[in-house]
Amino acid sequence: MTRLFFIAGEPSGDALGAALIAGLKELDPGLEVHGVGGPLMQAEGLESLFPMDELSVMGIAEVLPRYAALMRRIKECAAEVVRLSPDALVTIDSPDFCLRVARRVKAQSPVRTVHYVAPTVWAWRPGRAARMAEAIDQVLALFPFEPPYMEAAGMRCDFVGHPVVAQPRASDQEARAFRDRHGIAADAPLCLVLPGSRAGEVDRLAPVFGTALQTVASQHPGLRVVVPTTAGVAERVAGLTAAWPGAPVLIDPRADGTAAAAAKRAAFAAADLALAASGTVSLELAASETPMVIAYDMNWLSRQIIWRMVRLDTVTLVNIVSETRAVPEFLGEACQPGPIAAALCLLLEDPAYRAPQIEAMRVTMDRLGQGGEAPGRRAARAVLDGLATARRN
């Protein structure tokens, strides 16, 4: 029987953790799980030590007011890992929290440590790999170009594929049904708008996005808008988008998460284009071949510090994986309604502007493992193989 302690700090990590636990249970039916996770991991049998939402904080200015509470949770998690003495501690993304826990654990115990999602050392702060290697034995990478960075720092690293390639997709029939259900004509331009999953980013981006949509709607009077959201910010998003043009349809997971997930898939398939915050959502849009514009801004203090560290000229994952710059992005001071609206209008009006994006999306999905074994199961194999190798050595 394998005993593992998991820590996930946000919804994307919860999804990764749930798929990994499911894969592990297939390969090791006696699996015992402990730790911190959200509803998806809990559905796979994890009893969370405390609510995962407490860890969903991003940005320097946002973290500072909650620093003391986060430090208490770090100490609590580390103490519980040491007490349980699992076969491995599996931390999932959220490196500022998770790696602090791993360091505390390593200082007190020989527990094997696995981190799921390699740090983006290829984009910024390359020294993180060496510091990470002080506390982490194995890394599970989402992108095929990441293992060499981790291995050079002394960690085992397995490319396990990105979970987006295994996510279900809506059929054309489901896309048409979504439009019918919400009174959206078959020929009406439909724009997905995704202003983020954290309160701070929603507060910053929603006003900019709304103003941009006003311009798009003035040039395309039939425009309709769909806003998928997450439970943690659904109420906030509802208030901020109520006055937007396009009679916004809010996909709110609070009442029925399963129905909301199906509606989100259908909306992605039904949409003609999307305006989204930077992040993994660009890969979800790529999977459905929905042309997009990416826009993002941070708190002023975070922006001044973080943008200076970025080593790439793009942060959009489709651009990075496909090695193109097909997806337009408006970041930091460039996150302004006028240019964003102009790019959205081009996507609606010019097939030649959309075509490079579609090709870049297809390349991206192929490179991320589309058509192969599910990433959760590949990750599970890598974790168990790492344990077996460590025992032999």
Side-chain angles (χ1 to χ4, degrees):
M1 181 184 73
T2 304
R3 174 188 290 177
L4 299 175
F5 193 102
F6 293 85
I7 302 176
E10 54 187 310
S12 60
D14 186 37
L16 287 171
L20 172 54
I21 294 172
L24 285 163
K25 288 195 297 188
E26 290 178 10
L27 299 173
D28 183 357
L31 180 73
E32 181 182 320
V33 296
H34 303 267
V36 178
L40 298 177
M41 292 171 70
Q42 291 172 39
E44 292 293 338
L46 178 78
E47 184 174 338
S48 190
L49 190 60
F50 53 80
M52 184 191 73
D53 292 348
E54 292 186 23
L55 308 184
S56 298
V57 187
M58 182 179 182
I60 295 165
E62 290 81 359
V63 168
L64 288 176
R66 297 175 61 181
Y67 179 78
L70 289 168
M71 286 304 297
R72 283 195 297 272
R73 291 306 195 189
I74 288 168
K75 293 176 183 177
E76 182 180 358
C77 284
E80 186 67 2
V81 174
V82 172
R83 185 187 73 81
L84 286 170
S85 188
D87 293 288
L89 164 64
V90 182
T91 54
I92 307 171
D93 211 355
S94 302
D96 289 334
F97 184 91
C98 288
L99 298 185
R100 282 178 169 84
V101 174
R103 288 189 184 95
R104 284 180 173 270
V105 169
K106 281 292 193 183
Q108 304 173 63
S109 166
V111 170
R112 183 173 177 79
T113 51
V114 181
H115 190 71
Y116 198 169
V117 183
T120 53
V121 296
W122 37 269
W124 71 306
R125 291 172 57 196
R128 286 177 293 167
R131 289 192 295 275
M132 184 175 173
E134 297 169 0
I136 298 297
D137 299 306
Q138 180 180 6
V139 179
L140 307 178
L142 305 187
F143 300 104
F145 51 79
E146 292 179 318
Y149 293 93
M150 301 296 102
E151 291 164 355
M155 294 171 283
R156 168 173 170 164
C157 187
D158 299 86
F159 167 59
V160 299
H162 197 285
V164 72
V165 302
Q167 291 174 356
R169 299 175 198 172
S171 65
D172 291 343
Q173 182 179 357
E174 289 170 320
R176 289 192 296 270
F178 178 87
R179 281 182 174 255
D180 291 343
R181 187 161 59 251
H182 296 287
I184 303 171
D187 60 350
L190 178 57
C191 184
L192 282 173
V193 184
L194 301 114
S197 60
R198 301 180 182 88
E201 60 191 8
V202 168
D203 288 345
R204 281 188 295 276
L205 296 177
V208 176
F209 286 11
T211 302
L213 291 171
Q214 293 283 358
T215 299
V216 178
S218 70
Q219 298 181 38
H220 298 270
L223 181 76
R224 293 296 307 275
V225 172
V226 175
V227 188
T229 187
T230 61
V233 295
E235 186 173 351
R236 192 180 228 99
V237 169
L240 289 168
T241 61
W244 281 7
V249 173
L250 187 70
I251 299 178
D252 183 346
R254 288 177 295 178
D256 185 339
T258 301
K264 180 180 175 181
R265 290 193 296 270
F268 273 53
D272 297 294
L273 74 168
L275 169 59
S278 175
T280 55
V281 71
S282 71
L283 299 180
E284 296 180 59
L285 293 166
S288 64
E289 296 191 0
T290 306
M292 72 191 87
V293 171
I294 297 296
Y296 197 77
D297 199 5
M298 293 181 173
N299 171 280
W300 183 87
L301 176 60
S302 299
R303 186 207 299 170
Q304 299 308 306
I305 296 172
I306 291 174
W307 287 139
R308 286 180 171 84
M309 300 179 185
V310 174
R311 307 173 73 203
L312 299 178
D313 63 350
T314 180
V315 301
T316 301
L317 290 168
V318 173
N319 288 343
I320 294 167
V321 177
S322 67
E323 299 177 279
T324 71
R325 297 298 179 264
V327 177
E329 56 186 13
F330 302 90
L331 310 174
E333 293 180 356
C335 183
Q336 299 294 331
I340 292 170
L344 290 169
C345 287
L346 270 175
L347 282 180
L348 281 172
E349 298 161 6
D350 187 354
Y353 190 65
R354 293 193 298 272
Q357 275 207 44
I358 300 300
E359 177 58 26
M361 292 172 186
R362 291 171 180 168
V363 169
T364 296
M365 291 300 104
D366 180 66
R367 291 180 177 177
L368 294 185
Q370 190 171 63
E373 185 177 31
R377 191 176 174 90
R378 289 177 66 176
R381 289 187 189 281
V383 169
L384 295 176
D385 183 69
L387 283 171
T389 300
R391 288 170 184 147
R392 287 194 299 270
N393 295 337

